[in-house]
Amino acid sequence: MTEQRKPIVNIVIVALNVIWFLLLSMWGDAGDVDFAVKHGAMYANWVVEQGKWMMLFTSMFYHFSIGHLANNMIILFFIGNQVEQLMGHVKYLVLYFLAGLTGGICSMYHILQTGAHTVSGGASGAVFGVIGALLWIVIRHKGRMGDITLKRMFLMLALSLYYGFSDTGIDNVAHAGGLVGGFLLSVALYRKPDRS
């Protein structure tokens, strides 16, 4: 029996998101669009026209309100801890950021195609990527990982996606992109442990 890994990477990611939001709240109004763009949120037109590709990364750490932050971090803390323990630190780190970037790129493409002048941010693309990874892991384990079943996974996904589509201001394209990206990355990265 192998010793369970401590999810240090996920805990650090959650802590960085919280600390950054607290600092931003001291400096100004995180919900203000101009402030948001200057401090890490993504404005798709600037990414393409001015080459500010770093916004795809920094926007994963920018949250517009305490509720926005709390929703993402609570889900990330519980699901991310499990996924990191199953995948390992390095693979989890790769999964988190690549899924988040996938969500951001999908969001940026959609914004540019629709001609919207939207400012976006938040860890939800990466969070949905982690959910997508857990979905594959549960499938790989024949539909059950401890208390987690495929039925519960699909219910959680249905509720999360319903919430996104029923509320305005939610970047559903980033969610979908992150979810698919995380699922596919998990297919490539996750190896089911041999039972000896």
Side-chain angles (χ1 to χ4, degrees), residues 27-40:
W27 297 335
D29 178 8
D32 179 74
V33 173
D34 292 330
F35 182 85
V37 172
K38 289 176 184 174
H39 292 88

Side-chain angles (χ1 to χ4, degrees), residues 6-63:
K6 291 183 179 177
I8 53 172
V9 171
N10 194 55
I11 291 168
V12 168
I13 290 171
V14 171
L16 287 173
N17 273 281
V18 171
I19 290 166
W20 186 234
F21 179 79
L22 292 174
L23 287 172
L24 290 173
S25 298
M26 286 167 33
W27 297 335
D29 178 8
D32 179 74
V33 173
D34 292 330
F35 182 85
V37 172
K38 289 176 184 174
H39 292 88
M42 181 181 71
Y43 183 52
N45 298 70
W46 284 6
V47 174
V48 175
E49 293 167 9
Q50 300 181 26
K52 295 192 174 184
W53 296 99
M54 196 65 180
M55 283 183 161
L56 289 167
F57 176 81
T58 59
S59 62
M60 286 191 277
F61 291 91
Y62 193 94
H63 291 87

Side-chain angles (χ1 to χ4, degrees), residues 4 7 9 11 15-16 41 43 47 62 75 79 103 117 120 125-127 131 136 142 151 170 176 191:
Q4 197 173 40
V9 171
I11 291 168
L16 287 173
Y43 183 52
V47 174
Y62 193 94
I75 296 169
I79 295 179
H117 294 281
S120 61
V127 172
I131 294 171
W136 167 249
K142 299 180 180 177
K151 185 178 179 181
I170 303 292
R191 296 293 175 264

Side-chain angles (χ1 to χ4, degrees), residues 13 28 86-87 131 138 142 157 159 170:
I13 290 171
L86 292 163
M87 293 187 77
I131 294 171
V138 173
K142 299 180 180 177
L157 275 172
L159 290 172
I170 303 292

